[in-house]
Amino acid sequence: MTNPTENKIYLPSQEVIDQANIKEYEELYKFSIENREQFWANQADYLSWYKKWDKVLDDSNPPFYKWFPGAQTNIVHNAIDRHQHTEVRNKLALIWEGEPGDVRSFSYHALNREVCQFANILKSMGVKRADVVTIYMPQIPEQIFAMLACAKIGAIHSVVYGGFSHEALADRINDANSRVVITADGGYRRGKVVEMKSVVNKAMELSPTMEICITVKRTNVDVYMENGRDYWYHDLVALPIAASKCDTEVMEADDTLFLLYTSGSTGRPKAMIHTHAGYSVYTSTTHRMVFDIKPDDRYWCAADPGWITGHSYIVYGPLMNGATIIMYEGAPTYPYPDRWWKMVERYGINILYTSPTAIRGLMRFGDSWPNRNDLSSLRLLGSVGEPINPEAWRWYHEVIGNSKCPIMDTWWQTETGGFMITPLPVTPLKPGSGTKAFFGNEIAVVDDDGKEVGANEEGTLVIKSPWPGMTAGIFKDPERYLDIYWSKYKKQGWYLTGDSAKRDEDGYFWIIGRTDDVIKVSGYRLGSAEIESVMISHPAIAESAAVALPHPIKGNCIHIFAILRNGYEASLEMEHDLINHVVTHMGPIAKPEAITIVDQLPKTRSGKIMRRVLKARALGLPEGDLSTLEE
Ligand code: WTA
């Protein structure tokens, strides 16, 4: 994992400095802290507003901060509408490549048309302002159109990642009271069709609120469609209702843009709320500054729009900046391990933003795959989702970036909306460190009392100041929001990230990992509690605990300890059966690496499972302080 002793510093080349939009960090950082509201007002001026704010920040009711109160906007007004009147109109907004090799591209003009048509269809289905629309789709252009169409008419989208099972999908539909779902018959992955509409059909049976399903045809796989409930997108778009003009709703600054479910330390996944104004300003600013966006750039964030990275840095940030985005449907290794490198060459991609898992996964195939392709168009690289180990960092830097592309290791969360700790292209880099706080943010590593820990000492990562991209809270559950994020350092009014970290003698941050029961598998965020509740729904299981163990490619993998009910016996078949059970009920991304049957789980006297002890046992490490362990 990250190693703070890895202190070789990579300085930016003169070429990088010459072309950087922001050439100096410290001074602007100082300005942004001393004049936070002024700094953000300056950034907000890059966007266009129906009505400007009365004030930059209303901090009268912390931690429910309101950014740009009084302003009126719509993120689509900035992501699409305003570009229709500039030279951006005829520029490519999206180049999309399907796994079988089909290519579709859309100018900003075409993007507007597609989104208007989709928006008119949603309206004709009775979707109104503030309705929640669930999106469960493969990585195809319509996924982006659907998100933007919701935003355009003031509806709230809730994108559920396609790797989740029908039950996980139904939970999210039900929690959000969503009556409309948008999906596709399926998508392509590793040369096979991954069915999606059939998953939605099963989810709909578990969702009393669900009334309408719109399905995009992608694969021609057979699907069951029910009269009056199910509509093909291509049928709807051929009707006169799907006109190519549609007014964008005027939204208040803090109107909800989307919900995104994410796993926390306890209980069911929670829906984080993001709003139109603050999120627009934060994602467009961070994207513009950190990726140093130039008018001709081709920018590829190889994430899935189903996660926050996709929301902020495939869709909203880049489109607000008028960038050309790239999207790819399928597996990075299909048909060969140089699919991504071929795409870089084919489209002349300048910026590539991905996860350490993906880098490690491609690195294991060796240098010859990237070396056979021309990667010289690359100017900047990015990493997100988990700590990047120095070996993967160096490979990414040397082999992919030809030692000339700075790597933007961006630390942030679903809750933060955008980058919190990140370098700029001109920042001297240390492999494995996200370097320093983004402008306007005061971030620290502290002990339990809130005292800053010494250099290179491990502590809790906290955010001390509000920022425009911050979540507006948990949907329908403000108490839980206060409890999870704001209760530990209530006195100080700091946001608890859930991560532990160190800061070195140069003030660089080194993220160690989660301190709660969130498991990051391949950068995907899963909760122990959700996995455990699926486990105990199996008839053989009395009790279980899911922990994260280190994995050479995935970063972490899921290891489950389980106690069987009387009458059941441990066997290889039983283990397989249980693994399948988790995959079926939660989805392929939650596939456990191993299940160990045990007679007992270590617990505290108050009955809490000590996952830390299980993890230490599995790794053969010292078990640490056991004073709270029940006999
Ligand atoms: C982890 C993803 C180290 C961290 C954008 C955080 C990282 C969690 C990094 C949020 C990074 C994200 N280095 N760790 N560059 N980026 N993380 O909500 O543990 O899916 O708390 O958001 O991912 O995961 P989430």
Side-chain angles (χ1 to χ4, degrees):
M1 289 281 91
T2 50
N3 171 11
T5 57
E6 166 75 38
N7 262 354
K8 170 166 184 208
I9 297 182
Y10 290 70
L11 296 171
S13 66
Q14 195 54 45
E15 199 187 343
V16 168
I17 297 173
D18 287 346
Q19 61 190 2
N21 290 329
I22 299 176
K23 302 210 190 296
E24 202 281 336
Y25 166 82
E26 297 296 340
E27 219 167 285
L28 187 55
Y29 179 74
K30 190 161 174 281
F31 172 85
S32 74
I33 298 302
E34 287 166 4
N35 312 275
R36 184 171 292 116
E37 296 186 22
Q38 186 58 51
F39 175 82
W40 286 115
N42 294 348
Q43 306 315 315
D45 277 334
Y46 278 81
L47 297 178
S48 138
W49 301 81
Y50 296 126
K51 176 174 168 280
K52 286 224 176 174
W53 48 93
D54 299 331
K55 132 185 223 198
V56 175
L57 173 64
D58 172 359
D59 55 3
S60 58
N61 181 28
F64 296 97
Y65 294 94
K66 286 192 187 321
W67 284 89
F68 307 103
Q72 289 182 326
T73 186
N74 184 314
I75 201 161
V76 170
H77 177 59
N78 281 298
I80 302 178
D81 300 357
R82 66 168 174 157
H83 301 315
Q84 304 307 314
H85 315 291
T86 69
E87 69 281 8
V88 177
R89 187 186 93 116
N90 295 326
K91 182 176 162 178
L92 287 183
L94 169 65
I95 302 172
W96 172 85
E97 192 173 296
E99 199 190 68
D102 42 341
V103 177
R104 295 163 73 193
S105 56
F106 300 85
S107 66
Y108 272 87
H109 172 79
L111 178 67
N112 183 44
R113 179 191 66 229
E114 297 289 332
V115 170
C116 286
Q117 290 183 319
F118 216 130
N120 282 322
I121 289 172
L122 292 177
K123 276 191 182 170
S124 76
M125 295 283 168
V127 176
K128 294 183 305 298
R129 248 177 117 106
D131 285 352
V132 180
V133 174
T134 303
I135 300 176
Y136 182 77
M137 293 182 93
Q139 291 192 55
I140 55 176
E142 285 78 4
Q143 185 181 32
I144 293 182
F145 304 156
M147 290 166 75
L148 291 162
C150 290
K152 185 174 177 80
I153 62 172
I156 298 167
H157 59 70
S158 165
V159 181
V160 178
Y161 173 63
F164 277 120
S165 70
H166 72 279
E167 284 165 51
L169 173 61
D171 279 348
R172 287 155 176 79
I173 290 173
N174 294 337
D175 184 75
N177 264 322
S178 177
R179 38 176 288 276
V180 178
V181 58
I182 304 169
T183 189
D185 53 355
Y188 292 99
R189 187 96 195 164
R190 292 195 183 83
K192 295 201 191 76
V193 171
V194 178
E195 290 189 25
M196 299 198 89
K197 170 61 175 153
S198 62
V199 177
V200 171
N201 282 347
K202 282 197 261 171
M204 287 176 94
E205 282 167 27
L206 304 174
S207 304
T209 54
M210 197 42 72
E211 290 168 16
I212 290 167
C213 175
I214 300 173
T215 305
V216 175
K217 196 176 222 112
R218 163 75 185 130
T219 63
N220 276 321
V221 68
D222 254 353
V223 294
Y224 169 73
M225 302 282 280
E226 195 174 286
N227 236 341
R229 181 192 80 175
D230 285 320
Y231 300 86
W232 283 111
Y233 181 73
H234 60 263
D235 287 339
L236 297 172
V237 85
L239 298 173
I241 48 156
S244 54
K245 291 260 171 340
C246 174
D247 287 338
T248 301
E249 280 288 300
V250 175
M251 307 303 285
E252 302 302 322
D254 63 347
D255 277 339
T256 301
L257 166 63
F258 64 81
L259 302 180
L260 188 56
Y261 282 85
T262 190
S263 303
S265 48
T266 53
R268 301 150 63 84
K270 48 191 190 277
M272 306 312 309
I273 302 170
H274 282 288
T275 58
H276 276 266
Y279 180 82
S280 293
V281 173
Y282 201 73
T283 54
S284 61
T285 305
T286 45
H287 180 260
R288 187 182 77 243
M289 290 185 168
V290 174
F291 287 126
D292 205 21
I293 288 297
K294 315 278 184 215
D296 292 331
D297 275 344
R298 293 191 160 186
Y299 162 86
W300 186 18
C301 168
D304 188 298
W307 301 89
I308 191 68
T309 306
H311 283 57
S312 302
Y313 297 111
I314 296 178
V315 183
Y316 290 116
L319 293 178
M320 279 186 283
N321 291 328
T324 297
I325 62 177
I326 313 287
M327 189 186 195
Y328 166 59
E329 176 185 33
T333 49
Y334 186 85
Y336 299 108
D338 65 347
R339 181 64 180 264
W340 277 19
W341 317 132
K342 285 218 153 14
M343 289 196 39
V344 170
E345 174 171 324
R346 193 173 308 141
Y347 303 112
I349 291 166
N350 308 103
I351 303 164
L352 174 65
Y353 183 38
T354 184
S355 66
T357 290
I359 297 160
R360 289 190 293 261
L362 292 166
M363 181 172 131
R364 81 192 142 130
F365 294 102
D367 300 1
S368 60
W369 292 101
N371 287 348
R372 269 198 288 273
N373 296 278
D374 179 4
L375 306 182
S376 62
S377 59
L378 288 172
R379 187 181 87 237
L380 277 174
L381 300 171
S383 173
V384 61
E386 35 172 340
I388 182 166
N389 48 311
E391 303 75 58
W393 194 99
R394 278 193 294 267
W395 187 77
Y396 197 27
H397 189 255
E398 284 158 23
V399 180
I400 305 308
N402 193 21
S403 303
K404 70 175 171 65
C405 308
I407 298 177
M408 303 296 103
D409 180 355
T410 60
W411 177 89
W412 58 296
Q413 309 179 302
T414 306
E415 295 85 342
T416 70
F419 309 152
M420 299 304 288
I421 297 174
T422 175
L424 298 172
V426 296
T427 306
L429 302 173
K430 300 183 191 181
S433 169
T435 75
K436 297 199 174 178
F438 186 72
F439 301 119
N441 298 330
E442 288 168 88
I443 301 182
V445 180
V446 300
D447 65 14
D448 283 343
D449 301 323
K451 209 169 121 300
E452 224 160 296
V453 300
N456 297 312
E457 277 175 43
E458 182 170 347
T460 302
L461 188 71
V462 294
I463 305 170
K464 295 179 162 184
S465 52
W467 66 103
M470 68 198 302
T471 176
I474 299 176
F475 185 56
K476 294 191 304 196
D477 208 347
E479 283 307 316
R480 198 166 159 214
Y481 177 58
L482 292 176
D483 184 47
I484 297 175
Y485 302 96
W486 301 93
S487 63
K488 174 142 188 193
Y489 296 103
K490 187 164 184 222
K491 203 168 76 219
Q492 297 90 339
W494 297 343
Y495 168 89
L496 180 73
T497 63
D499 278 14
S500 65
K502 294 180 185 180
R503 218 171 168 181
D504 68 17
E505 50 289 340
D506 296 326
Y508 276 34
F509 289 97
W510 298 79
I511 306 297
I512 296 165
R514 300 292 304 190
T515 53
D516 53 10
D517 299 320
V518 167
I519 305 183
K520 278 265 167 171
V521 182
S522 304
Y524 295 135
R525 182 165 161 181
L526 302 169
S528 310
E530 211 185 354
I531 302 166
E532 289 158 10
S533 81
V534 167
M535 279 295 288
I536 54 165
S537 71
H538 189 283
I541 296 300
E543 218 182 336
S544 81
V547 300
L549 294 187
H551 185 279
I553 306 282
K554 300 177 186 175
N556 294 292
C557 63
I558 302 169
H559 191 115
I560 299 180
F561 294 85
I563 304 177
L564 294 180
R565 285 185 192 281
N566 284 341
Y568 289 93
E569 279 198 25
S571 66
L572 212 54
E573 287 78 56
M574 173 63 84
E575 195 186 321
H576 283 162
D577 185 40
L578 290 169
I579 290 177
N580 281 337
H581 180 79
V582 176
V583 171
T584 311
H585 294 272
M586 192 156 164
I589 47 161
K591 184 174 180 183
E593 203 73 9
I595 296 187
T596 307
I597 306 294
V598 292
D599 294 330
Q600 251 185 337
L601 292 170
K603 286 188 185 162
T604 62
R605 284 186 205 104
S606 57
K608 251 188 99 191
I609 295 173
M610 296 178 81
R611 296 194 183 82
R612 166 178 72 75
V613 174
L614 285 170
K615 193 169 168 171
R617 280 184 193 164
L619 296 172
L621 294 172
E623 294 183 9
D625 179 8
L626 294 179
S627 57
T628 55
L629 188 69
E630 170 199 65
E631 283 312 309

